[in-house]
Structure formats: structure tokens, C-alpha cells
Amino acid sequence: MRNQDLRSGRSYDLGKMGLKQLWVAYLTHPTILLYFSLIIGCIVAVCYTFNGWVPVLSSIIVMIFGFPLIWYIIHRWIMHVSLLYRMKWSASLWKRIHFDHHQDPHLLNVLFGSPLNTIPTIIIIGGGLGYLVGGFCGFFASIGTAVYMSCFYEFFHCIQHLNYKPKSRYVSHIKQVHVLHHFHYEKGNFGITNYFWDKIFGTYYEDAKARPRSPTVFNMGYTVKEAEHYPWVMLKTGAPPRDRPAGSNFREHKKDCTQHTQKAA
């Protein structure tokens, strides 16, 4: 598939793309290209401020283990709370960082986090932790690691929504678990490639039997009734919130969830 085709609106529908098409879309996407540039910039900055391997390696290790927890906290207690859409000044932010993704889980352009939100978060949290561990050298090493892990997360997040059956048992498993988050019960399975913290906090589940199907799985609680009281997201969208994606593959995924449940039983 040619790159110009991938940039034509709904051609970015992961539900209609294969693995080869994803690689083209992923490697040419402006957000990913920006992340690659930041990683290179951080490597240069680490070399310039280098003061020993201990600060560098310590910062990298802290971020490798810290990133899944940071993601879990942001996903569960920021992206999935109603407070942001109830305030006019933060409604657009909430819409972009997660509501649009749940309304249309296969749309690549809203699957990636906006760099305007992700990069400041990485600099403040990731860079802050790195600086505490290793000074300026650790600051850049930690940011570079966090951006790299973001690229890793984003790619596998795409796989989880892609029209593709993974051969790897691990990838197949994380895809199955994430599909449940989007098409069965949104208040669980907040991880992407790592569900350790879901298991620690009791939000992990592997099959549809473990949780009742949520009526707000596609709108995260921003129903038509809520939109009447807090209209800012609806006004920005230009349409009332939906209880399933447009042109929905909902029946397909409901069938997938049922099959996984039967297999688990």
C-alpha cells in the first residue's frame, strides 16, 4: 500500500489493514518519526553530558520498570475518569487523549497519543526520575528510554487493533486481553504489553465471564445524558456520543470475546 493511500482518512482503519500495511503506516507516521528523532537527540545528549555508566544504566533500569506503572496510573486514573470531560477547559484534552480512541478503536490517527501531551509527560515524570537517579545524564537517558518504550507500546497497541492473527502466543494473549478492554469491560486490563499492575490492583481479567459487559465500553461513561449536562466534548465532536463505533466491527469482536470465553472454559 502506498503511503499516500495510508494518509487518506479512513485508510488508517486498522481493522482493514494487514501487518505489512501497518509497518508502512507506523514507520511513516509523524508521531513515530518525531519519537525517533527524540531518541537520537537523547543519545547525543547522553554522550555530551556523560558522567559514567552507573547513572545512565540506573536511569534506564528505573524507567524500564517504572514505565508500566506510570502508564497504568495515567490510563486508569486520568484517561478513564469523568472529571476531565466535566470541566470545559479539560474536555478537549480528554476527548483527544482517550475518548476518540474508545469511540473508534481501529482509527490509527487517534490511537497514538498526541505528542503535545505525551512529550511533556515524559519530560516531567520520566526526566524527573532520571535526574534524581543520574543528574542531567540520567535525565536524557530516562527520557530516551521512555520515548523508546512509547514506540514499543504504540506498535503493539496497533497490533491489538489490527486485522491480524499473531503467531506468537504472547502477542496473541495481550491482543485478546486488550480486545476485552475495548469491547467488553473498559474498567479493567489497563496495560498494553504488561499486565503486572492490573494483577496487583485487581483489574486484570482474561475472559468475558470474569466481568459483566459494560454498557459504557465505547463511551467511557460519556453518555448522551451526560453530554446534555457537560456538552463540551459533544460540541467538539459535532455529534452525540456513540455506544458503539461507527461502521462497527462490534459483532466480530463480541464473537471473538465469546470464543475466548468458551476456549477458557
PDB file of all heavy atoms in Angstrom, residues 66-84:
ATOM      1  N   GLY A  66       9.641   1.355  35.709  1.00  0.00           N
ATOM      2  CA  GLY A  66       8.665   2.366  36.110  1.00  0.00           C
ATOM      3  C   GLY A  66       7.620   2.684  35.056  1.00  0.00           C
ATOM      4  O   GLY A  66       6.489   3.057  35.382  1.00  0.00           O
ATOM      5  N   PHE A  67       7.981   2.512  33.788  1.00  0.00           N
ATOM      6  CA  PHE A  67       7.081   2.896  32.695  1.00  0.00           C
ATOM      7  C   PHE A  67       5.727   2.184  32.762  1.00  0.00           C
ATOM      8  O   PHE A  67       4.681   2.828  32.622  1.00  0.00           O
ATOM      9  CB  PHE A  67       7.758   2.642  31.347  1.00  0.00           C
ATOM     10  CG  PHE A  67       7.042   3.261  30.178  1.00  0.00           C
ATOM     11  CD1 PHE A  67       7.390   4.514  29.710  1.00  0.00           C
ATOM     12  CD2 PHE A  67       6.009   2.588  29.527  1.00  0.00           C
ATOM     13  CE1 PHE A  67       6.730   5.093  28.635  1.00  0.00           C
ATOM     14  CE2 PHE A  67       5.343   3.145  28.454  1.00  0.00           C
ATOM     15  CZ  PHE A  67       5.703   4.409  28.008  1.00  0.00           C
ATOM     16  N   PRO A  68       5.683   0.857  32.976  1.00  0.00           N
ATOM     17  CA  PRO A  68       4.375   0.183  33.044  1.00  0.00           C
ATOM     18  C   PRO A  68       3.481   0.715  34.160  1.00  0.00           C
ATOM     19  O   PRO A  68       2.270   0.831  33.989  1.00  0.00           O
ATOM     20  CB  PRO A  68       4.740  -1.288  33.286  1.00  0.00           C
ATOM     21  CG  PRO A  68       6.123  -1.427  32.737  1.00  0.00           C
ATOM     22  CD  PRO A  68       6.793  -0.125  33.044  1.00  0.00           C
ATOM     23  N   LEU A  69       4.078   1.065  35.314  1.00  0.00           N
ATOM     24  CA  LEU A  69       3.287   1.616  36.416  1.00  0.00           C
ATOM     25  C   LEU A  69       2.788   3.019  36.074  1.00  0.00           C
ATOM     26  O   LEU A  69       1.621   3.355  36.340  1.00  0.00           O
ATOM     27  CB  LEU A  69       4.118   1.654  37.699  1.00  0.00           C
ATOM     28  CG  LEU A  69       3.433   2.313  38.915  1.00  0.00           C
ATOM     29  CD1 LEU A  69       2.130   1.587  39.262  1.00  0.00           C
ATOM     30  CD2 LEU A  69       4.387   2.337  40.106  1.00  0.00           C
ATOM     31  N   ILE A  70       3.658   3.828  35.480  1.00  0.00           N
ATOM     32  CA  ILE A  70       3.253   5.181  35.080  1.00  0.00           C
ATOM     33  C   ILE A  70       2.103   5.111  34.077  1.00  0.00           C
ATOM     34  O   ILE A  70       1.117   5.850  34.188  1.00  0.00           O
ATOM     35  CB  ILE A  70       4.453   5.940  34.480  1.00  0.00           C
ATOM     36  CG1 ILE A  70       5.517   6.188  35.553  1.00  0.00           C
ATOM     37  CG2 ILE A  70       4.004   7.263  33.862  1.00  0.00           C
ATOM     38  CD1 ILE A  70       6.849   6.653  34.996  1.00  0.00           C
ATOM     39  N   TRP A  71       2.228   4.200  33.093  1.00  0.00           N
ATOM     40  CA  TRP A  71       1.164   4.042  32.102  1.00  0.00           C
ATOM     41  C   TRP A  71      -0.139   3.606  32.771  1.00  0.00           C
ATOM     42  O   TRP A  71      -1.211   4.129  32.471  1.00  0.00           O
ATOM     43  CB  TRP A  71       1.567   3.026  31.027  1.00  0.00           C
ATOM     44  CG  TRP A  71       0.396   2.624  30.187  1.00  0.00           C
ATOM     45  CD1 TRP A  71      -0.331   1.471  30.275  1.00  0.00           C
ATOM     46  CD2 TRP A  71      -0.229   3.403  29.156  1.00  0.00           C
ATOM     47  NE1 TRP A  71      -1.356   1.475  29.364  1.00  0.00           N
ATOM     48  CE2 TRP A  71      -1.323   2.647  28.675  1.00  0.00           C
ATOM     49  CE3 TRP A  71       0.038   4.658  28.605  1.00  0.00           C
ATOM     50  CZ2 TRP A  71      -2.160   3.115  27.658  1.00  0.00           C
ATOM     51  CZ3 TRP A  71      -0.797   5.123  27.591  1.00  0.00           C
ATOM     52  CH2 TRP A  71      -1.874   4.358  27.136  1.00  0.00           C
ATOM     53  N   TYR A  72      -0.043   2.647  33.695  1.00  0.00           N
ATOM     54  CA  TYR A  72      -1.240   2.139  34.383  1.00  0.00           C
ATOM     55  C   TYR A  72      -1.947   3.278  35.114  1.00  0.00           C
ATOM     56  O   TYR A  72      -3.175   3.430  35.031  1.00  0.00           O
ATOM     57  CB  TYR A  72      -0.859   1.037  35.366  1.00  0.00           C
ATOM     58  CG  TYR A  72      -2.051   0.446  36.095  1.00  0.00           C
ATOM     59  CD1 TYR A  72      -2.725  -0.662  35.580  1.00  0.00           C
ATOM     60  CD2 TYR A  72      -2.507   1.007  37.293  1.00  0.00           C
ATOM     61  CE1 TYR A  72      -3.830  -1.198  36.234  1.00  0.00           C
ATOM     62  CE2 TYR A  72      -3.609   0.485  37.953  1.00  0.00           C
ATOM     63  CZ  TYR A  72      -4.271  -0.618  37.421  1.00  0.00           C
ATOM     64  OH  TYR A  72      -5.367  -1.129  38.076  1.00  0.00           O
ATOM     65  N   ILE A  73      -1.188   4.076  35.855  1.00  0.00           N
ATOM     66  CA  ILE A  73      -1.766   5.186  36.623  1.00  0.00           C
ATOM     67  C   ILE A  73      -2.454   6.184  35.699  1.00  0.00           C
ATOM     68  O   ILE A  73      -3.590   6.610  35.953  1.00  0.00           O
ATOM     69  CB  ILE A  73      -0.667   5.883  37.459  1.00  0.00           C
ATOM     70  CG1 ILE A  73      -0.194   4.950  38.581  1.00  0.00           C
ATOM     71  CG2 ILE A  73      -1.190   7.203  38.045  1.00  0.00           C
ATOM     72  CD1 ILE A  73       1.036   5.447  39.307  1.00  0.00           C
ATOM     73  N   ILE A  74      -1.772   6.553  34.614  1.00  0.00           N
ATOM     74  CA  ILE A  74      -2.342   7.536  33.673  1.00  0.00           C
ATOM     75  C   ILE A  74      -3.587   6.968  33.001  1.00  0.00           C
ATOM     76  O   ILE A  74      -4.615   7.658  32.897  1.00  0.00           O
ATOM     77  CB  ILE A  74      -1.293   7.950  32.630  1.00  0.00           C
ATOM     78  CG1 ILE A  74      -0.176   8.762  33.297  1.00  0.00           C
ATOM     79  CG2 ILE A  74      -1.932   8.754  31.497  1.00  0.00           C
ATOM     80  CD1 ILE A  74       0.989   9.089  32.378  1.00  0.00           C
ATOM     81  N   HIS A  75      -3.495   5.718  32.549  1.00  0.00           N
ATOM     82  CA  HIS A  75      -4.619   5.110  31.832  1.00  0.00           C
ATOM     83  C   HIS A  75      -5.830   4.952  32.749  1.00  0.00           C
ATOM     84  O   HIS A  75      -6.957   5.293  32.358  1.00  0.00           O
ATOM     85  CB  HIS A  75      -4.190   3.748  31.279  1.00  0.00           C
ATOM     86  CG  HIS A  75      -5.146   3.175  30.278  1.00  0.00           C
ATOM     87  ND1 HIS A  75      -4.992   1.903  29.742  1.00  0.00           N
ATOM     88  CD2 HIS A  75      -6.289   3.666  29.712  1.00  0.00           C
ATOM     89  CE1 HIS A  75      -5.972   1.657  28.898  1.00  0.00           C
ATOM     90  NE2 HIS A  75      -6.781   2.703  28.862  1.00  0.00           N
ATOM     91  N   ARG A  76      -5.628   4.459  33.943  1.00  0.00           N
ATOM     92  CA  ARG A  76      -6.758   4.188  34.831  1.00  0.00           C
ATOM     93  C   ARG A  76      -7.312   5.440  35.495  1.00  0.00           C
ATOM     94  O   ARG A  76      -8.535   5.644  35.520  1.00  0.00           O
ATOM     95  CB  ARG A  76      -6.350   3.175  35.906  1.00  0.00           C
ATOM     96  CG  ARG A  76      -7.502   2.826  36.839  1.00  0.00           C
ATOM     97  CD  ARG A  76      -7.113   1.791  37.880  1.00  0.00           C
ATOM     98  NE  ARG A  76      -8.257   1.490  38.741  1.00  0.00           N
ATOM     99  CZ  ARG A  76      -8.229   0.643  39.780  1.00  0.00           C
ATOM    100  NH1 ARG A  76      -7.103   0.002  40.071  1.00  0.00           N
ATOM    101  NH2 ARG A  76      -9.309   0.447  40.513  1.00  0.00           N
ATOM    102  N   TRP A  77      -6.442   6.282  36.039  1.00  0.00           N
ATOM    103  CA  TRP A  77      -6.910   7.372  36.893  1.00  0.00           C
ATOM    104  C   TRP A  77      -6.896   8.748  36.234  1.00  0.00           C
ATOM    105  O   TRP A  77      -7.247   9.742  36.868  1.00  0.00           O
ATOM    106  CB  TRP A  77      -6.110   7.385  38.189  1.00  0.00           C
ATOM    107  CG  TRP A  77      -6.527   6.278  39.106  1.00  0.00           C
ATOM    108  CD1 TRP A  77      -7.758   6.076  39.654  1.00  0.00           C
ATOM    109  CD2 TRP A  77      -5.699   5.208  39.596  1.00  0.00           C
ATOM    110  NE1 TRP A  77      -7.758   4.958  40.444  1.00  0.00           N
ATOM    111  CE2 TRP A  77      -6.517   4.402  40.437  1.00  0.00           C
ATOM    112  CE3 TRP A  77      -4.366   4.866  39.405  1.00  0.00           C
ATOM    113  CZ2 TRP A  77      -6.023   3.263  41.081  1.00  0.00           C
ATOM    114  CZ3 TRP A  77      -3.885   3.736  40.040  1.00  0.00           C
ATOM    115  CH2 TRP A  77      -4.699   2.944  40.870  1.00  0.00           C
ATOM    116  N   ILE A  78      -6.500   8.813  34.968  1.00  0.00           N
ATOM    117  CA  ILE A  78      -6.612  10.077  34.234  1.00  0.00           C
ATOM    118  C   ILE A  78      -7.482   9.893  32.995  1.00  0.00           C
ATOM    119  O   ILE A  78      -8.478  10.604  32.810  1.00  0.00           O
ATOM    120  CB  ILE A  78      -5.223  10.624  33.845  1.00  0.00           C
ATOM    121  CG1 ILE A  78      -4.423  10.970  35.110  1.00  0.00           C
ATOM    122  CG2 ILE A  78      -5.366  11.860  32.948  1.00  0.00           C
ATOM    123  CD1 ILE A  78      -3.034  11.504  34.849  1.00  0.00           C
ATOM    124  N   MET A  79      -7.131   8.919  32.155  1.00  0.00           N
ATOM    125  CA  MET A  79      -7.867   8.732  30.905  1.00  0.00           C
ATOM    126  C   MET A  79      -9.291   8.224  31.114  1.00  0.00           C
ATOM    127  O   MET A  79     -10.181   8.512  30.318  1.00  0.00           O
ATOM    128  CB  MET A  79      -7.109   7.752  30.002  1.00  0.00           C
ATOM    129  CG  MET A  79      -5.787   8.266  29.499  1.00  0.00           C
ATOM    130  SD  MET A  79      -4.976   7.031  28.433  1.00  0.00           S
ATOM    131  CE  MET A  79      -3.520   7.946  27.918  1.00  0.00           C
ATOM    132  N   HIS A  80      -9.502   7.455  32.194  1.00  0.00           N
ATOM    133  CA  HIS A  80     -10.805   6.821  32.393  1.00  0.00           C
ATOM    134  C   HIS A  80     -11.627   7.443  33.516  1.00  0.00           C
ATOM    135  O   HIS A  80     -12.528   6.786  34.044  1.00  0.00           O
ATOM    136  CB  HIS A  80     -10.629   5.322  32.644  1.00  0.00           C
ATOM    137  CG  HIS A  80     -10.527   4.506  31.400  1.00  0.00           C
ATOM    138  ND1 HIS A  80     -11.605   3.913  30.793  1.00  0.00           N
ATOM    139  CD2 HIS A  80      -9.452   4.212  30.617  1.00  0.00           C
ATOM    140  CE1 HIS A  80     -11.213   3.271  29.708  1.00  0.00           C
ATOM    141  NE2 HIS A  80      -9.907   3.432  29.581  1.00  0.00           N
ATOM    142  N   VAL A  81     -11.362   8.684  33.859  1.00  0.00           N
ATOM    143  CA  VAL A  81     -12.188   9.351  34.871  1.00  0.00           C
ATOM    144  C   VAL A  81     -13.069  10.399  34.207  1.00  0.00           C
ATOM    145  O   VAL A  81     -12.717  10.961  33.160  1.00  0.00           O
ATOM    146  CB  VAL A  81     -11.320   9.998  35.974  1.00  0.00           C
ATOM    147  CG1 VAL A  81     -10.532   8.937  36.720  1.00  0.00           C
ATOM    148  CG2 VAL A  81     -10.383  11.045  35.405  1.00  0.00           C
ATOM    149  N   SER A  82     -14.216  10.661  34.821  1.00  0.00           N
ATOM    150  CA  SER A  82     -15.191  11.588  34.245  1.00  0.00           C
ATOM    151  C   SER A  82     -14.864  13.053  34.520  1.00  0.00           C
ATOM    152  O   SER A  82     -15.421  13.947  33.873  1.00  0.00           O
ATOM    153  CB  SER A  82     -16.589  11.277  34.792  1.00  0.00           C
ATOM    154  OG  SER A  82     -16.624  11.436  36.209  1.00  0.00           O
ATOM    155  N   LEU A  83     -13.967  13.311  35.477  1.00  0.00           N
ATOM    156  CA  LEU A  83     -13.679  14.687  35.877  1.00  0.00           C
ATOM    157  C   LEU A  83     -13.243  15.554  34.700  1.00  0.00           C
ATOM    158  O   LEU A  83     -13.660  16.708  34.581  1.00  0.00           O
ATOM    159  CB  LEU A  83     -12.590  14.691  36.954  1.00  0.00           C
ATOM    160  CG  LEU A  83     -12.177  16.066  37.488  1.00  0.00           C
ATOM    161  CD1 LEU A  83     -13.349  16.736  38.197  1.00  0.00           C
ATOM    162  CD2 LEU A  83     -10.987  15.920  38.444  1.00  0.00           C
ATOM    163  N   LEU A  84     -12.436  14.998  33.796  1.00  0.00           N
ATOM    164  CA  LEU A  84     -11.891  15.798  32.704  1.00  0.00           C
ATOM    165  C   LEU A  84     -12.966  16.270  31.724  1.00  0.00           C
ATOM    166  O   LEU A  84     -12.889  17.386  31.215  1.00  0.00           O
ATOM    167  CB  LEU A  84     -10.805  15.018  31.958  1.00  0.00           C
ATOM    168  CG  LEU A  84      -9.510  14.757  32.721  1.00  0.00           C
ATOM    169  CD1 LEU A  84      -8.528  13.983  31.862  1.00  0.00           C
ATOM    170  CD2 LEU A  84      -8.874  16.053  33.207  1.00  0.00           C
TER     171      LEU A  84
END
